[in-house]
Amino acid sequence: MDRRNFNKKVGQGFLGTTLLAGMPLACGMENTQNKKKLGIALVGLGTYSTYELAPSLQETEHCQLAAIVTGTPEKEKIWADKYGIPKENIYNYENFDEIAKNDSIDIVYVVLPNSMHADFCIRAAKAGKHVICEKPMAISVLECNAIIEACNKANVKLSVGYRLHSEPYTKEIKRFVKEKTFGEVQYISADAAYFSNTNPNQWRLKRKLSGGGALMNMGVYAIQSAIYGTGMNPSNVRAQEFSTRPDYFKDTDETITAQFEFSNGAFGNIMTSHNANINRLFATGKKGWFELNPANNYGPLKGRTSKGDEIKFEHERQQKLQMDDFAKHILMGTPNVAPGEMGKRDMIIVEAIYQSIKEGGKTIPLDLGNMGIVSK
Ligand code: NAD
């Protein structure tokens, strides 16, 4: 078996110890196969890492917080003390590439402003580490391609931080769609928006760092909802942008609406904004409807259907479920529920939406096939 196939087998959960003896392994793979818990390095210790990812990593079964990468020296001691991170597992953006030599790190989780995702994901792959890239995957399709290529070349796994694919309410929606519980979905409405109008200096409002406004930030959730709420990729899109606060939203989009058509005749509408609070998925078919509201916050989500049922699941941290799912994918070969192709597909749609707006709402055809659709 050549090295490439061997590593593929390791990724698929083929962990025969006889085979492992004396075998030269790719970078970073040496310890992965025998580990109970994979070590994660968080890159960027902002709000999401601090309040969601690090606490979730205290609850994960198949991975743990092993290392941190930060550009803020004051955070090093705070995190080291709080999470017992040894000095040799603390990196900054300059010496980050040294992680290649650190076997306690299996996965690099990039949690930086959007325009920095591609650089750090590619460097992580080159260091031989599996990669989780936060959403949106990057700020262009070209960058998504570069990340995917780097991960393929290094033979490491890649996932996007789309936590909802590991979350029970969203999984239930996918089940309704797959089993046609309410008939084939004919119309989908998905809104993902929050008020982001109190800090004009935040990077999310600076195009250079964010790549765009509401669409890049929350719009990807609405796009995701429209796709898993119908089980299909859209075949075309047209879009509109408007602003009620142009004085504040100077550099990035405030509010965008877009309409999708699907090849079976279904259609839908999405709305995303940095100037409203709304978080909802509604879908209707010939036999009834289902709704999640909220549909994409950290949960617990809430759902109901036309049958009069409330959808109800026990709440667990979504990020715990998400990171465990990715670790299981690496360790046991379970499906990658949010692969790089999914992040790239969403960026193709984002670019089509911006193009439609630029061209006065023109319908932009999309040729996505089943790209990024994971049937589990
Ligand atoms: P944040 O502003 O709270 O943190 C950003 C981090 O990046 C900080 O530690 C900051 O020091 C560091 N940084 C490095 N260079 C920087 C620069 N030039 N400008 C600004 N910050 C810089 O942001 P966040 O909310 O933690 O978001 C980080 C990433 O995570 C984004 O891509 C965002 O879309 C994503 N995110 C995802 C979810 C989710 O639910 N999946 C939730 C929140 C954020």
Side-chain angles (χ1 to χ4, degrees), residues 108-128:
V108 167
Y109 196 150
V110 177
V111 205
L112 290 164
N114 309 339
S115 66
M116 299 170 77
H117 291 182
D119 180 27
F120 279 85
C121 288
I122 292 166
R123 286 165 70 182
K126 282 186 178 160

Side-chain angles (χ1 to χ4, degrees), residues 42-280:
L42 290 178
V43 186
L45 307 179
T47 317
Y48 196 53
S49 286
T50 304
Y51 299 108
E52 300 301 331
L53 297 177
S56 298
L57 281 163
Q58 307 315 301
E59 298 176 11
T60 39
E61 286 171 45
H62 303 284
C63 49
Q64 63 193 359
L65 179 58
I68 50 171
V69 184
T70 176
T72 314
E74 307 85 77
K75 288 184 186 167
E76 293 181 5
K77 185 169 160 33
I78 298 170
W79 279 68
D81 289 351
K82 185 160 184 186
Y83 294 112
I85 297 166
K87 205 166 184 290
E88 64 273 18
N89 285 10
I90 299 176
Y91 296 87
N92 56 47
Y93 302 141
E94 285 71 43
N95 67 15
F96 168 71
D97 308 278
E98 304 270 310
I99 60 159
K101 298 180 208 141
N102 191 330
D103 285 342
S104 64
I105 302 169
D106 304 284
I107 299 169
V108 167
Y109 196 150
V110 177
V111 205
L112 290 164
N114 309 339
S115 66
M116 299 170 77
H117 291 182
D119 180 27
F120 279 85
C121 288
I122 292 166
R123 286 165 70 182
K126 282 186 178 160
K129 306 299 179 186
H130 303 289
V131 179
I132 308 178
C133 175
E134 250 321 315
K135 50 59 55 182
M137 184 169 163
I139 60 169
S140 69
V141 176
L142 274 179
E143 283 190 354
C144 294
N145 282 337
I147 297 172
I148 291 169
E149 200 185 308
C151 290
N152 286 343
K153 200 167 165 198
N155 204 21
V156 296
K157 307 286 186 186
L158 167 65
S159 170
V160 181
Y162 283 142
R163 56 191 156 73
L164 294 169
H165 288 277
S166 302
E167 184 282 328
Y169 288 78
T170 308
K171 284 181 169 175
E172 183 71 349
I173 293 300
K174 289 193 197 171
R175 187 180 70 78
F176 290 161
V177 171
K178 194 170 177 182
E179 294 177 6
K180 299 190 176 41
T181 313
F182 299 92
E184 208 152 280
V185 171
Q186 294 174 316
Y187 175 74
I188 179 101
S189 165
D191 305 314
Y194 71 79
F195 277 115
S196 178
N197 55 8
T198 50
N199 174 9
N201 296 319
Q202 59 181 303
W203 64 262
R204 282 189 174 82
L205 301 183
K206 295 177 185 153
R207 179 171 299 275
K208 216 167 168 228
L209 285 166
S210 61
L215 184 62
M216 281 282 181
N217 186 20
M218 295 304 286
V220 290
Y221 288 112
I223 291 169
Q224 284 263 309
S225 289
I227 293 172
Y228 56 67
T230 56
M232 289 171 285
N233 285 329
S235 50
N236 69 54
V237 63
R238 68 187 76 94
Q240 308 77 35
E241 176 185 357
F242 59 93
S243 177
T244 57
R245 289 274 324 263
D247 56 311
Y248 184 85
F249 298 100
K250 289 183 184 136
D251 196 28
T252 54
D253 41 280
E254 173 197 317
T255 302
I256 283 178
T257 50
Q259 297 76 47
F260 291 133
E261 286 180 65
F262 299 86
S263 57
N264 69 346
F267 60 102
N269 185 68
I270 65 162
M271 190 283 283
T272 186
S273 178
H274 270 160
N275 200 18
N277 266 341
I278 177 159
N279 196 295
R280 179 173 168 263

